[in-house]
Amino acid sequence: MNLEKAIKNINRSLIKKQPSSFTPAWIKYRCKVSHQFIVNNIKNEFGEPDWDLVTANLDRQLQRLWLKGLKRKRPTEYRDESEVISAITPHREKLYTFVSQINQEDKKICDRISISLVRLAQRGNLFAIQKLKQLIPFLINQWIEGYKLNRWRGYDDLIDRCIDNCIRRYRYSGSFIGYLNKTMECEGRPLKSIEAFSLDKKSQITDKVMVDNVSKDYNTGEIKIF
């Protein structure tokens, strides 16, 4: 038995049985040999069965069934920086993938790091949330600058809230980065683009800088442009 064979067995069982959702317990009941191999040999950074790696290799349409509909209790918040360090250390030299991704392997590693931190965040580790909010904005800025998500420019508070929501809602082990990107694409459609301009820019008609056309009503505090 190896990981490839275990994945094939789970795929085959899911396609045959067509459950509305599945969990580690379902795999244990339906695919005992595969489950035993995974529990004993496929571990994450914390020595636990790496179900994220397993489900990420299943057929794409089956990934969404992982833990579907399962309600999680609100986790107790805690701070444990050592967990975050343990999650990042195996990929420390690959943290550049949040800034620049050279190839497909870089994308996979970026997702791997993200998912490890998301799982810690879902357990309640505030340091993991903090680290995600340090790394993910590098990717989001690239999406905005590339005009794919340019509607989000200037909506920093909404971006921060969207990251929080995606961390909390993420369930299946497809791509967390892809999930975040798709969520922002959908939720960004109603947003109105915010155009930034400089008050030092000169008018082509009057040759005056824009700040000369701005006044403040000191009685009401209202800013007027004329």
Side-chain angles (χ1 to χ4, degrees):
M1 176 63 69
N2 56 34
L3 180 59
E4 184 179 356
K5 289 181 179 179
I7 296 296
K8 286 183 178 179
N9 288 342
I10 297 171
N11 266 328
R12 185 164 52 245
S13 292
L14 287 169
I15 293 171
K16 181 179 179 180
K17 300 298 182 180
Q18 296 186 344
S20 57
S21 65
F22 71 104
T23 64
W26 188 95
I27 295 175
K28 182 179 181 179
Y29 179 71
R30 298 291 182 182
C31 311
K32 293 181 180 180
V33 176
S34 295
H35 182 274
Q36 186 175 7
F37 171 80
I38 292 165
V39 168
N40 292 333
N41 299 280
I42 309 301
K43 307 280 189 177
N44 59 21
E45 293 85 355
F46 309 104
E48 301 168 344
D50 196 342
W51 295 112
D52 285 312
L53 177 61
V54 173
T55 53
N57 283 281
L58 293 174
D59 290 350
R60 190 170 183 81
Q61 69 271 19
L62 300 176
Q63 293 175 4
R64 295 182 180 275
L65 301 179
W66 177 247
L67 305 180
K68 184 178 180 181
L70 181 64
K71 293 184 178 180
R72 297 183 179 179
K73 295 181 180 179
R74 185 177 181 83
T76 301
E77 294 182 346
Y78 67 97
R79 297 176 182 273
D80 188 342
E81 191 172 9
S82 65
E83 285 188 343
V84 175
I85 293 173
S86 295
I88 291 177
T89 297
H91 313 289
R92 183 172 296 278
E93 295 182 357
K94 294 290 186 176
L95 289 178
Y96 72 83
T97 56
F98 286 88
V99 180
S100 176
Q101 297 175 356
I102 301 173
N103 51 38
Q104 195 65 30
E105 185 62 25
D106 278 350
K107 291 183 179 180
K108 290 181 179 179
I109 292 175
C110 184
D111 244 328
R112 182 76 175 160
I113 298 171
S114 300
I115 292 172
S116 294
L117 292 174
V118 166
R119 295 310 186 202
L120 288 177
Q122 289 177 340
R123 294 179 183 180
N125 193 329
L126 298 178
F127 274 120
I129 297 175
Q130 180 181 336
K131 193 64 180 179
L132 283 165
K133 289 188 175 182
Q134 289 176 355
L135 296 172
I136 288 177
F138 289 111
L139 289 170
I140 293 176
N141 287 337
Q142 292 177 49
W143 299 339
I144 291 174
E145 294 300 324
Y147 297 101
K148 182 177 182 180
L149 297 177
N150 63 328
R151 288 178 180 272
W152 285 89
R153 191 187 307 276
Y155 289 99
D156 293 344
D157 289 343
L158 289 181
I159 289 174
D160 191 66
R161 191 184 309 167
C162 185
I163 294 173
D164 280 333
N165 289 339
C166 285
I167 290 173
R168 186 178 68 256
R169 295 170 182 168
Y170 182 69
R171 291 293 180 269
Y172 72 95
S173 298
S175 164
F176 173 76
I177 299 302
Y179 171 66
L180 174 65
N181 184 283
K182 190 64 178 180
T183 299
M184 292 187 67
E185 182 182 341
C186 294
E187 293 187 1
R189 288 168 185 163
L191 298 179
K192 294 182 179 179
S193 298
I194 298 177
E195 294 186 13
F197 58 87
S198 172
L199 292 177
D200 293 325
K201 185 178 180 180
K202 286 187 176 183
S203 167
Q204 295 180 352
I205 299 175
T206 65
D207 202 37
K208 291 183 178 181
V209 293
M210 292 186 67
V211 72
D212 291 337
N213 296 323
V214 177
S215 68
K216 179 177 182 180
D217 187 325
Y218 288 93
N219 294 320
T220 63
E222 182 181 1
I223 302 295
K224 297 181 178 179
I225 300 177
F226 55 90

